[in-house]
Amino acid sequence: MSVESILFDAVKGLVSNRAYPDFAPANVQMPYITYQQISGRSVVYTTSELPNKKNGRFQFNVWATTRAQANSISLAIEAALIALTTVQAEPLGSFTALSDKDLKTYGAMQDFSVWSDR
């Protein structure tokens, strides 16, 4: 199972399966989650062997109709990812509050370092 599938399975239930890689479909019902790999640490051995682990920095974004809902889901994402046993996920700081005045939406964004098997 890919690391992306593991992460999706961990968070999809928090928003009635409205979790999407990269971006959400147009007019999707809130709340929803988007996530994407934004970087990662390269692992290179001096023996020129292919490492058996890989690292990705994944960003999770929550969009909701209230600040309380966005914050609550963001905290639930953090708890769900930390609890995983098939990968090791570590928050890289707390979430950042987001908002869009024109759309009247509230968000939260948080990055995680995720180690997984290659």
Side-chain angles (χ1 to χ4, degrees):
M1 179 178 279
S2 71
V3 66
E4 290 84 0
S5 296
I6 293 167
L7 298 176
F8 170 75
D9 286 345
V11 303
K12 68 182 181 181
L14 302 174
V15 288
S16 302
N17 292 331
R18 291 185 305 272
Y20 307 98
D22 302 316
F23 56 88
N27 302 316
V28 68
Q29 179 184 346
M30 283 191 252
Y32 64 87
I33 296 168
T34 60
Y35 61 94
Q36 63 182 331
Q37 184 171 350
I38 56 171
S39 68
R41 291 181 53 195
S42 295
V43 179
V44 179
Y45 297 135
T46 58
T47 59
S48 299
E49 295 175 59
L50 185 64
N52 62 350
K53 298 285 183 190
K54 64 179 180 174
N55 177 262
R57 182 176 183 145
F58 288 85
Q59 184 174 87
F60 284 79
N61 302 286
V62 176
W63 290 101
T65 56
T66 68
R67 164 64 45 225
Q69 187 178 45
N71 290 358
S72 176
I73 294 169
S74 187
L75 291 171
I77 290 170
E78 182 176 68
L81 296 184
I82 290 171
L84 288 172
T85 58
T86 52
V87 298
Q88 181 184 4
E90 175 187 359
L92 299 173
S94 187
F95 67 81
T96 300
L98 307 169
S99 63
D100 187 314
K101 182 179 177 182
D102 295 331
L103 296 176
K104 296 184 173 90
T105 58
Y106 299 88
M109 174 179 66
Q110 189 171 13
D111 293 355
F112 294 84
S113 173
V114 179
W115 287 94
S116 62
D117 292 331
R118 186 162 283 285

